[in-house]
Amino acid sequence: MNAYPILIVTAVAAEADALRAELDPDLVVVEAVGVGPAAAAAGTARLLAARTYRAVISAGIAGGFPGRAAVGGTVLATRSIAADLGAETPDGFLPVDELGFGSSVLDCDPVLVKALRAALPGAVTGDVLTLSTVTGTAATADRLAARFPQAVAEAMEGYGVACAAAGAGVPFAELRTVSNPIGPRDRAAWRLADAFAALRAAAPAVAALP
């Protein structure tokens, strides 16, 4: 058995509880750190400073891009992208990369991604966007789909967790299950029970990571 556990970071307690129910706490530590990239980065950095982990996973429910990730399905990120980190211009959005102030894209660890894909063969793989304001209109959904043709889902924490992991030199991955399609906000149509069931079903794949 590996000497160090894996850390899973979620936004809220309900996500953490769903994962903990399926995992041995000696092998995988699950902590909820708050909603949004700032809370995710700060909370993850605190946890990584307090204990040694062999990997950190950002996990939870997400919105899926229609036609790319089905509601109730599981998504694995190849990259976590801060989709709203940049500047507006008359010609459109400029990511922070083009402004010369760093990068809005962080790659997930390829070894972790490969292992998760093998354990979760039904999962969809692609970019997962991190947004401080989640999508609520068809126009925004269309713009994001055009800007990010490889994006399969959006959430609010992945990039923050990835930044903390990179700063600590710890391998990072992001795993999401889809509760709703992105676009016009319709809470009545969200399938939270299906997303949480998929999250619980995916938990053993994390425990089996190298």
Side-chain angles (χ1 to χ4, degrees):
M1 183 176 68
N2 197 297
Y4 301 116
I6 292 169
L7 173 64
I8 297 180
V9 177
T10 72
V12 298
E15 294 165 324
D17 290 343
L19 290 159
R20 283 196 194 103
E22 308 297 327
L23 294 168
D24 182 340
D26 291 329
L27 302 178
V28 183
V29 176
V30 186
E31 296 287 351
V33 297
V35 174
T44 304
R46 172 180 53 81
L47 291 165
L48 293 176
R51 184 175 179 182
T52 299
Y53 296 94
R54 71 178 190 269
V56 58
I57 314 292
S58 176
I61 63 173
F65 279 78
R68 302 180 187 176
V71 174
T74 300
V75 165
L76 299 173
T78 51
R79 303 186 298 175
S80 290
I81 300 176
D84 54 5
L85 183 60
E88 288 186 325
T89 78
D91 298 320
F93 183 83
L94 280 180
V96 70
D97 315 61
E98 295 183 30
L99 297 171
F101 298 135
S103 177
S104 60
V105 179
L106 288 172
D107 292 328
C108 296
D109 181 81
V111 174
L112 294 180
V113 174
K114 182 179 179 180
L116 287 169
R117 290 183 71 175
L120 299 166
V124 174
T125 304
D127 295 335
V128 175
L129 308 184
T130 298
L131 294 159
S132 295
T133 302
V134 296
T135 302
T137 68
T140 300
D142 290 344
R143 284 196 298 271
L144 288 172
R147 280 181 58 207
F148 302 102
Q150 303 303 315
V152 292
E154 69 168 33
M156 302 181 76
E157 294 80 31
Y159 181 81
V161 178
C163 284
V170 178
F172 163 82
E174 183 169 4
L175 184 157
R176 297 284 171 178
T177 57
V178 179
S179 61
N180 58 281
I182 72 165
R185 189 171 176 81
D186 180 10
R187 283 296 296 266
W190 287 14
R191 287 165 45 189
L192 289 171
D194 291 344
F196 278 109
L199 197 61
R200 289 190 293 272
V206 176
L209 286 172

